[in-house]
Amino acid sequence: MSIEEFTEKLVARARTRNRRIVFPEGSDERVVAAAARLAAEKVVLPVLLGPCRGMPGVKFVEPEKCGKLGRYAAILYERRRHKGVTQREAAEMARQPLYFGALMLANGDVDGFVGGAANSTADTVRAALHAIGVKAGFKLVSSFMRMVTREGRGMTFADSAINPTPSPPELAEIAIATAQSARIFLDAEPRVAML
């Protein structure tokens, strides 16, 4: 399978699912252009955080004007109060686009969250971890990236960004999580190897 065929397969699958994806960096022109293309090609239903630009198929949400801001702050407070976060601090954090977008996902108002174009990986992951948390049965947050050769051969690499020096048990958890993600993402049975 070529890279073009691989990409088209992913796009075709996304089109059938009609997913609402929030992009917290709605003021970044690259994100706006990507959202416009995704909407025009009907791949996903983009939700951009920021001032409305009146783009067809793209929903804009301004956190300060959203009627659910109080609900989102309450979710964040419940998840972070054991760490000493006050209700006031949770309300302030919920106004920040990365947290607001992650809280939209936590509340079920969107189906996915894409960030990191204008914010660091650490800030993006921190907001998701604080607002959404770690998948049940796991203790560790990990990441993966997908590489596809010109011939269409794919490899999923984990975890080059989040856990630079994992312990053996952490390596096992990362391998299991990556295999599960690859299964879902690729609709295929993965083979796991350690480098």
Side-chain angles (χ1 to χ4, degrees):
M1 172 186 327
S2 71
I3 192 164
E4 291 81 12
E5 291 168 327
F6 173 79
T7 303
E8 187 51 43
K9 181 179 175 183
L10 288 178
V11 169
R13 194 166 84 188
R15 282 187 178 122
T16 65
R17 297 186 177 175
N18 223 18
R19 301 286 193 203
R20 301 159 300 165
I21 307 298
V22 65
F23 296 83
E25 298 154 323
S27 59
D28 185 293
E29 291 304 318
R30 298 168 298 169
V31 174
V32 172
R37 183 174 174 190
L38 290 167
E41 295 179 10
K42 299 184 183 339
V43 177
V44 299
L45 304 169
V47 178
L48 268 65
L49 300 187
C52 182
R53 296 186 183 208
M55 295 167 46
V58 178
K59 180 179 179 179
F60 286 86
V61 175
E62 294 183 57
E64 290 292 333
K65 296 180 180 179
C66 180
K68 293 186 177 181
L69 185 57
R71 169 72 184 132
Y72 296 163
I75 291 170
L76 189 58
Y77 173 69
E78 284 304 313
R79 293 180 187 239
R80 301 299 299 161
R81 69 181 181 170
H82 71 283
K83 292 288 191 179
V85 172
T86 66
Q87 288 179 323
R88 182 177 178 183
E89 290 169 333
E92 290 172 13
M93 292 167 68
R95 287 178 171 80
Q96 299 171 22
L98 286 175
Y99 278 90
F100 189 90
L103 288 161
M104 288 181 79
L105 181 58
N107 197 52
D109 296 325
V110 294
D111 303 302
F113 170 101
V114 175
N119 291 283
S120 70
T121 299
D123 289 343
T124 305
V125 170
R126 185 178 303 109
L129 183 60
H130 291 174
I132 301 163
V134 178
K135 181 178 179 178
F138 288 86
K139 296 177 184 174
L140 188 67
V141 173
S142 62
S143 67
F144 70 88
M145 64 181 162
R146 184 76 181 148
M147 307 263 307
V148 181
T149 65
R150 285 186 179 89
E151 298 78 31
R153 182 183 166 108
M155 292 173 276
T156 304
F157 291 90
D159 174 338
S160 56
I162 307 290
N163 299 293
T165 56
S167 67
E170 290 171 335
L171 275 172
E173 186 170 314
I174 290 167
I176 291 166
T178 303
Q180 287 179 359
S181 295
R183 229 177 254 114
I184 293 165
F185 186 65
L186 302 171
D187 198 27
E189 190 58 32
R191 290 183 289 169
V192 178
M194 303 284 191
L195 299 176

